[in-house]
Amino acid sequence: MDFGPFLLLALMEGLVTAAVLALTASGLSLVFGIMRVVNVAHGAFFMLGAVLAWFVAEWLPGPPALAFAAALVFCPLVVGAIAAIADMAVLKRLNYEPEATIVATIGLLYILEQAALSLFGPDARPVEAPFSFRLQLPWFGYSGYKLAVVVAAALVLLGVWLILKHSRAGLLMRATQEDRDTARAFGINVDRVYAGVFAMGAGLAAIAAVLIVPISQAHYLMGGDPLLLSFIVVIIGGLGSLRGTLVAALLIGLSDGVISTFFAPTLAKIIATLVVALVLVFRPQGLFGKRAA
Amino acid sequence: MLRLDDIDAGYGAVAVLHGLTLSVASGEVLCVMGRNGAGKSTMLKAIIGQIRAGAGTITLDGMRIDGLPAHQVPRHGIGYVPQGRRLFGGLTVAENIEIGLMTRRRDVRVREKVLALFPRLRERMGQMARTLSGGEQQMLAIARALCLEPKVLLLDEPTEGLQPSMITLIRDTVLTLKAEGVATILVEQRVDAALSVADRLAFMVGGRVAEVLDAGGLTPDAPAFARHVGV
């Protein structure tokens, strides 16, 4: 294949990675931005979404598209509910102290992974894609499902943006993010906002997982890479900045696609880590983050 | 209206209020004065539920509010203008007002009434709160609190760092609210500002009320000010 088409293929692969990464990382960024909680269990919520999608696909008879659509609704709701319970049962009791919540979410990560191992088993299991359409370009054919993942991720992110900027719930979240004590002084139930945000963050990871699982299979340890890449993205983009998260996800996703295709996936991870190091040294607040006062 | 009886409160192991007793009636302006660290702001935080009273009771129209979750206190009609304003700086003026209106189900009538008091805010509705001038920020902080239609208004040093015209506007607003029957607790360091609106003055020393005086007839050179405020 010539260089041009090869580059196009690499960019398309990178775009799929970027789309899923943007969804996953926006959940992490949202939780940190509003709650100031570094959620180490975020990758486990991602994994849970994929594993639940497999269960739904197994148990629901009918065409794969039906099971997939059901998983796309059911998994984020269940994962979000689990996250909300974890928030109320654990994080709230720790008064959202930064160090304590890091330790607590590490514990949550292990609990969720071990629960998945017990119920789901150690094997990677495939989930059938809802459709098998192939886009035929002059140089190569490309999975229509992968392009659908990009469109779906973009629509979900647009929805998140609309909720944050133009809904009552979003206004409550932004006010709580600004100053939780003052928010309480104006009748905002901050505990409920936090539970909702933690659920929303986990739900976004679950949606990303359901979208990607027909491409990458479900496995109880699959949350590690998305967690690491999400941290890379939110550090580069600026913790708590949704815009920064999107830009950094595109940057990391596209570079990952291109470098993995032309060189090696390991090199892509090395370069991403190097970029994080440079950002931490020269712009610790991230590309779009606010400098601490 | 609002009554604090024998309140102990503080921050963790640090006790700030020691048996504080105070009350304010409907349509009354109670000005609380004292040196830095006397516990004035802590008292307001205890009323609004930001810190828990370790002992004593806080009642509003006879109902105890000291055990309520902090977010339920404003729903009972207590508006709070914190020291330093503490606006939601990344939100627009309109959004700050909307936050204030949330307990009033976004009542348009309340919104219009509040904006009539501060017409300049109407011209700034789309502007980020952090970009307003100091005076405009204080207007917004008070407007946001008034959106709660408070029975009791708590003002923590609202004139701090403001120009005279703004101080006059705040005084006029407090007097308008007084005429409407709102009880106001005003924490104030400026003697002239306090005397221009107060019905009574409470002087705090070491976390308790040391002296309460009627404001009528008091002048800035009254010995109480030298004793408790250091002027």
Side-chain angles (χ1 to χ4, degrees):
Chain A
M1 199 186 299
D2 291 336
F3 176 76
F6 204 38
L7 180 63
L8 179 64
L9 177 64
L11 288 173
M12 289 170 86
E13 283 296 308
L15 202 58
V16 176
T17 305
V20 175
L21 192 51
L23 264 187
T24 315
S26 62
L28 190 70
S29 182
L30 205 62
V31 167
F32 180 81
I34 294 170
M35 302 171 67
R36 298 282 142 188
V37 167
V38 177
N39 180 18
V40 183
H42 196 64
F45 289 133
F46 179 92
M47 173 275 297
L48 212 52
V51 166
L52 285 173
W54 181 84
F55 277 114
V56 172
E58 281 296 299
W59 290 341
L60 199 67
L66 179 67
F68 184 82
L72 209 48
V73 175
F74 174 76
C75 299
L77 289 178
V78 172
V79 173
I82 291 170
I85 290 167
D87 171 76
M88 290 184 283
V90 182
L91 303 183
K92 183 183 166 190
R93 289 184 183 192
L94 298 171
N95 200 26
Y96 302 98
E97 294 289 341
E99 296 87 355
T101 51
I102 289 174
V103 175
T105 54
I106 290 172
L108 189 58
L109 160 78
Y110 279 111
I111 290 169
L112 293 176
E113 278 188 355
Q114 293 309 308
L117 175 63
S118 304
L119 298 171
F120 178 76
D123 302 325
R125 299 171 195 228
V127 173
E128 203 173 334
F131 55 86
S132 54
F133 161 72
R134 199 159 180 80
L135 181 71
Q136 193 56 50
L137 297 170
W139 315 279
F140 55 83
Y142 196 74
S143 162
Y145 176 71
K146 286 186 176 179
L147 294 176
V149 167
V150 175
V151 173
L155 288 175
V156 173
L157 288 169
L158 178 67
V160 171
W161 182 81
L162 286 173
I163 287 171
L164 285 176
K165 293 291 178 193
H166 297 288
S167 75
R168 182 179 189 272
L171 183 59
L172 295 179
M173 287 180 201
R174 286 185 291 134
T176 304
Q177 177 177 16
E178 292 270 337
D179 185 339
R180 70 174 174 179
D181 284 339
T182 305
R184 282 196 179 102
F186 287 88
I188 296 176
N189 187 341
V190 170
D191 292 338
R192 196 179 290 171
V193 172
Y194 278 4
V197 168
F198 205 60
M200 191 171 163
L204 284 169
I207 292 173
V210 174
L211 289 175
I212 203 69
V213 76
I215 301 168
S216 71
Q217 301 197 57
H219 185 257
Y220 84 104
L221 289 177
M222 70 186 294
D225 271 0
L227 178 68
L228 178 67
L229 284 172
S230 294
F231 272 120
I232 287 173
V233 161
V234 294
I235 289 169
I236 293 174
L239 279 166
S241 163
L242 196 58
R243 185 174 51 149
T245 300
L246 298 183
V247 172
L250 268 175
L251 190 75
I252 293 296
L254 289 176
S255 66
D256 188 87
V258 171
I259 296 166
S260 299
T261 307
F262 284 97
F263 301 100
T266 309
L267 183 64
K269 300 285 184 297
I270 290 171
I271 289 177
T273 310
L274 193 65
V275 172
V276 168
L278 290 172
V279 167
L280 285 175
V281 170
F282 293 107
R283 199 175 161 81
Q285 75 272 29
L287 299 179
F288 293 87
K290 290 174 194 150
R291 190 181 285 273
Chain B
M1 172 76 60
L2 180 74
R3 185 169 183 83
L4 289 81
D5 279 305
D6 216 13
I7 292 293
D8 289 353
Y11 305 92
V14 182
V16 178
L17 303 181
H18 307 278
L20 180 124
T21 296
L22 199 67
S23 66
V24 62
S26 176
E28 182 187 30
V29 179
L30 173 71
C31 192
V32 179
M33 304 188 83
R35 291 191 170 90
N36 288 339
K40 306 181 295 293
S41 296
T42 305
M43 174 195 66
L44 297 186
K45 286 178 184 170
I47 295 170
I48 202 73
Q50 279 186 6
I51 59 170
R52 291 268 157 239
T57 59
I58 303 173
T59 54
L60 178 66
D61 288 333
M63 189 191 85
R64 277 189 73 166
I65 59 167
D66 51 279
L68 292 175
H71 70 274
Q72 285 186 14
V73 175
R75 295 175 188 175
H76 290 277
I78 297 187
Y80 178 46
V81 180
Q83 188 175 19
R85 296 140 200 161
R86 294 184 71 167
L87 295 170
F88 302 113
L91 272 56
T92 63
V93 170
E95 287 172 334
N96 271 274
I97 298 266
E98 197 174 338
I99 291 287
L101 285 169
M102 280 194 174
T103 58
R104 289 281 164 266
R105 299 181 188 279
R106 297 174 169 178
D107 191 330
V108 177
R109 177 189 58 81
V110 178
R111 183 177 183 273
E112 290 306 309
K113 186 182 164 193
V114 168
L115 287 174
L117 284 171
F118 304 105
R120 202 187 303 176
L121 292 178
R122 209 186 281 279
E123 303 158 19
R124 303 273 191 272
M125 295 300 268
Q127 200 170 323
M128 288 292 172
R130 74 163 72 94
T131 65
L132 298 175
S133 69
E136 289 168 344
Q137 287 192 11
Q138 194 59 273
M139 283 184 209
L140 180 56
I142 296 173
R144 186 180 60 173
L146 294 184
C147 286
L148 295 163
E149 285 198 302
K151 288 188 269 188
V152 179
L153 181 64
L154 311 176
L155 294 156
D156 198 351
E157 300 200 26
T159 63
E160 191 180 27
L162 297 183
Q163 61 189 38
S165 62
M166 268 310 302
I167 295 173
T168 304
L169 178 62
I170 290 170
R171 185 199 63 199
D172 293 347
T173 305
V174 170
L175 292 174
T176 303
L177 295 169
K178 172 182 158 67
E180 292 175 4
V182 175
T184 302
I185 297 182
L186 170 66
V187 169
E188 184 56 83
Q189 296 279 35
R190 299 165 57 102
V191 173
D192 53 342
L195 287 175
S196 68
V197 290
D199 294 304
R200 286 187 301 144
L201 295 155
F203 295 95
M204 283 184 69
V205 177
R208 53 174 63 88
V209 175
E211 194 172 358
V212 179
L213 297 172
D214 281 328
L218 272 184
T219 55
D221 56 359
F225 293 116
R227 223 172 17 245
H228 301 302
V229 190
V231 292

